[in-house]
Amino acid sequence: MKIQYLGTAAAEGIPAMFCTCELCRKTARAGSAEARCRSSVLINDQILIDLTPDIYYQKMRWNLDLSQLEAVFVTHSHTDHFDGAELTRRSAADYCKPAWERPLLVYGNRKVCGFGRRSLREEFGMEENPSIVFHELVPYETVKLCGLTVTAIPAQHDPQEDCLIYLIEDENSRFLYGNDTGLLLEETYTHLGNKPFDLISLDCTFGARKAREGRHMGFSENWEFLQELQKHGCYSKSTKVYATHFSHNCGMLQQELEQEGSKYGIHAAYDGLICII
Ligand SMILES: [Zn+2]
Ligand SMILES: [Zn+2]
Ligand SMILES: [Zn+2]
């Protein structure tokens, strides 16, 4: 399985759009090597997790062929994770010459699908479009496509909707994409398959700081998360762990995040990172 990180920042990006904090100023000086788009990953060039407001820039920066996309799995409706307006550009009606026969499949909770349909309605005056098909997911639902099995796992993030993280498996490997979320409910860990993951990606919005409210994590909560996974047989010494979804409030550049994470055996993801598992 090929996993490419297209973005590794929280909602405001790094440097944040209107910010003058020290990290944002340092990042602006360092240029694209330290810059972080809003978080998403591309799997096997065919499956996108989260469609962010940065998708067009990401396509150009990493020379992505998004015509190959088969499906988008959306974690939740927050605007750093789902940009319905950008999705409308996939419409064969006006905005692109289709090189495919199948529609793009968009999976998400009820609120995400509602936002997606509303974007189509605002753009085209109707909620149905032959180029885009929405599927409402419920927690623990499994979808098989493109040789992958994708399972929706309930996140602990925003009680106003069923926020999801995703477990992605093929014949040889297992990947957990874990943002946005705090620590999971005890009962949820038992649904993760009692088998070590090859790669785990975790919400590290707070970096070295203590996370507030349980909706996001920092490195110390990531470590607690990993201990829970270990108890349930899902984390072993050979599991690779990457932190992502960093806020500028962390105040840390890549090397500093990497150093802090090394105390817990966690690496800091960066935009463009490709992992093969
Ligand atoms: Zn987010
Ligand atoms: Zn800032
Ligand atoms: Zn969120």
Side-chain angles (χ1 to χ4, degrees), residues 135-205:
H135 290 273
E136 284 185 20
L137 282 179
V138 293
Y140 303 117
E141 190 172 343
T142 287
V143 176
K144 287 181 192 284
L145 79 175
C146 304
L148 299 173
T149 302
V150 182
T151 304
I153 303 294
Q156 287 297 302
H157 184 52
D158 180 351
Q160 297 188 67
E161 61 182 293
D162 281 333
C163 297
L164 302 169
I165 59 174
Y166 289 103
L167 159 55
I168 300 113
E169 298 167 287
D170 64 15
E171 281 177 6
N172 306 310
S173 50
R174 311 182 79 224
F175 168 44
L176 181 68
Y177 187 64
N179 66 274
D180 297 359
T181 189
L183 296 169
L184 305 181
L185 296 178
E186 170 68 21
E187 66 189 41
T188 303
Y189 289 99
T190 61
H191 284 83
L192 295 177
N194 194 28
K195 200 173 153 199
F197 286 107
D198 298 282
L199 178 66
I200 296 171
S201 179
L202 292 177
D203 184 315
C204 199
T205 306

Side-chain angles (χ1 to χ4, degrees), residues 16 19-24 248-249:
C19 189
T20 58
C21 79
E22 195 185 347
L23 179 71
C24 288
H248 66 132
N249 295 315

